[in-house]
């Protein structure tokens, strides 16, 4: 398989780093090893600038916002050059009506901060505990994701113009269709003359409603990871001759 692989794509939070934490030296060294053999790219849910900074400005191209953004690393400047930055409109009245319906139906009526988080790209987040929820409450709300997976189909049906993901510890994240990680990676392949068989993807969020699920269920070579601290072990097959 390694003879065919040309590109290694990967998620960030939970795959390379702890959620929203910086890149540790061990995984930076693992990326260095991979980069000697393959082209590397990040495929993220957040903005490319946030991902780049979290990586400590590691020299890598980044797809952000499920494909709405794309940036390449500029070796001369040490910064990113934005190649694509799509911003889509949002019908806030419709979104808030649907979120209010879900809050009333499932008793999510107590929350801190805003009921909905709107992102510049056109992506949205339904933070069940609100945008200013206490971290301890968020972590305790749905650690195994079972509460949200129980209503996932209804939320996805209600927000039918969006790809819906079980995000973080207490939210639903949504990207305008057709944007998701499969769409983003497939588009990258088309733009760079790659077949899916020439791509390996590493991600941790491959379960029901996960934002890596669309890639996991497709025909890419998928490497599952359940703890970012095992990244070095997970990529061993890719480094074998």
């Amino acid at each position: 398989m390694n003879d065919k692989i040309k590109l290694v794509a990967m998620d960030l939070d939970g795959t390379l780093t702890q959620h929203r934490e910086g890149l540790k030296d061990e995984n930076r060294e693992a990326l260095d090893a991979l980069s000697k053999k393959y082209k590397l790219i990040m495929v993220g849910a957040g903005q490319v600038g946030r991902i780049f900074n979290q990586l400590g400005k590691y020299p890598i191209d980044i797809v952000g916002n499920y494909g709405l953004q794309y940036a390449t690393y500029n070796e001369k400047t040490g910064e990113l050059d934005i190649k694509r930055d799509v911003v889509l409109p949002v019908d806030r009245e419709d979104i808030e009506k649907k979120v209010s319906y879900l809050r009333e139906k499932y008793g999510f009526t107590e929350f801190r901060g805003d009921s909905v988080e709107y992102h510049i790209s056109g992506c949205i987040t339904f933070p069940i505990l609100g945008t200013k929820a206490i971290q301890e409450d968020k972590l305790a709300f749905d650690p195994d994701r079972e509460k949200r997976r129980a209503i996932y189909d209804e939320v996805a049906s209600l927000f039918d113009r969006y790809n819906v993901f079980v995000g973080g510890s207490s939210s639903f994240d949504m990207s305008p269709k057709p944007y998701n990680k499969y769409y983003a990676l497939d588009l990258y392949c088309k733009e760079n003359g790659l077949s899916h068989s020439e791509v390996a993807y590493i991600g941790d969020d491959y379960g029901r409603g996960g934002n890596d699920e669309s890639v996991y269920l497709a025909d890419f070579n998928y490497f599952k990871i359940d703890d970012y601290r095992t990244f070095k072990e997970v990529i061993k097959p890719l480094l074998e001759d």
Side-chain angles (χ1 to χ4, degrees):
M1 180 190 70
N2 291 1
D3 293 337
K4 296 182 179 180
I5 300 298
K6 296 181 180 179
L7 175 74
V8 175
M10 67 202 82
D11 173 51
L12 179 57
D13 289 338
T15 296
L16 264 177
T17 69
Q18 180 63 284
H19 185 70
R20 295 298 177 102
E21 291 187 3
L23 180 65
K24 305 296 185 185
D25 288 343
E26 185 175 27
N27 283 353
R28 178 180 287 271
E29 291 170 3
L31 287 180
D32 288 342
L34 282 173
S35 69
K36 292 177 182 178
K37 191 172 182 181
Y38 307 100
K39 168 70 176 178
L40 305 183
I41 189 168
M42 298 297 308
V43 183
Q47 292 189 332
V48 295
R50 194 273 290 174
I51 295 170
F52 188 51
N53 288 330
Q54 187 176 341
L55 286 168
K57 297 192 173 182
Y58 187 85
I60 192 170
D61 295 349
I62 302 173
V63 174
N65 292 336
Y66 302 102
L68 288 161
Q69 278 191 321
Y70 172 53
T72 57
Y73 181 77
N74 187 320
E75 293 184 0
K76 292 183 179 180
T77 65
E79 300 293 337
L80 294 178
D81 292 336
I82 303 295
K83 302 298 185 180
R84 181 170 60 248
D85 192 5
V86 179
V87 175
L88 297 176
V90 175
D91 185 342
R92 294 196 178 202
E93 183 178 352
D94 180 64
I95 294 298
E96 291 182 17
K97 181 179 178 180
K98 291 174 178 178
V99 167
S100 293
Y101 166 79
L102 290 170
R103 288 194 180 281
E104 290 293 332
K105 182 174 181 178
Y106 292 103
F108 302 144
T109 53
E110 294 186 11
F111 57 91
R112 291 172 175 263
D114 296 327
S115 181
V116 183
E117 183 177 3
Y118 297 98
H119 304 281
I120 295 173
S121 61
C123 294
I124 61 175
T125 297
F126 169 25
I128 295 174
L129 302 183
T131 57
K132 294 184 178 180
I134 298 171
Q135 183 68 7
E136 289 79 6
D137 292 342
K138 291 166 65 175
L139 293 174
F141 175 74
D142 188 23
D144 57 7
R145 301 191 173 193
E146 291 306 311
K147 290 180 182 178
R148 285 168 293 163
R149 283 178 176 152
I151 63 172
Y152 175 80
D153 288 341
E154 181 177 2
V155 176
S157 178
L158 192 62
F159 292 90
D160 58 343
R161 295 182 181 180
Y162 292 82
N163 288 308
V164 178
F165 313 104
V166 178
S169 54
S170 59
S171 64
F172 287 101
D173 296 329
M174 306 179 195
S175 61
K177 288 182 176 178
Y179 292 94
N180 62 17
K181 288 190 178 180
Y182 170 83
Y183 177 86
L185 192 52
D186 179 64
L187 178 60
Y188 182 89
C189 288
K190 289 174 180 175
E191 292 176 340
N192 291 275
L194 293 167
S195 67
H196 291 189
S197 63
E198 293 174 313
V199 179
Y201 184 87
I202 310 167
D204 71 304
D205 203 6
Y206 51 84
R208 177 65 171 154
N211 65 31
D212 296 319
E213 183 189 21
S214 61
V215 181
Y216 177 65
L217 296 177
D219 57 345
F220 291 102
N221 301 292
Y222 195 100
F223 287 73
K224 295 192 293 184
I225 184 168
D226 297 307
D227 187 329
Y228 75 97
R229 292 169 294 186
T230 66
F231 185 82
K232 193 173 181 179
E233 295 298 315
V234 170
I235 67 169
K236 274 186 176 180
L238 288 166
L239 296 175
E240 294 174 353
D241 294 328

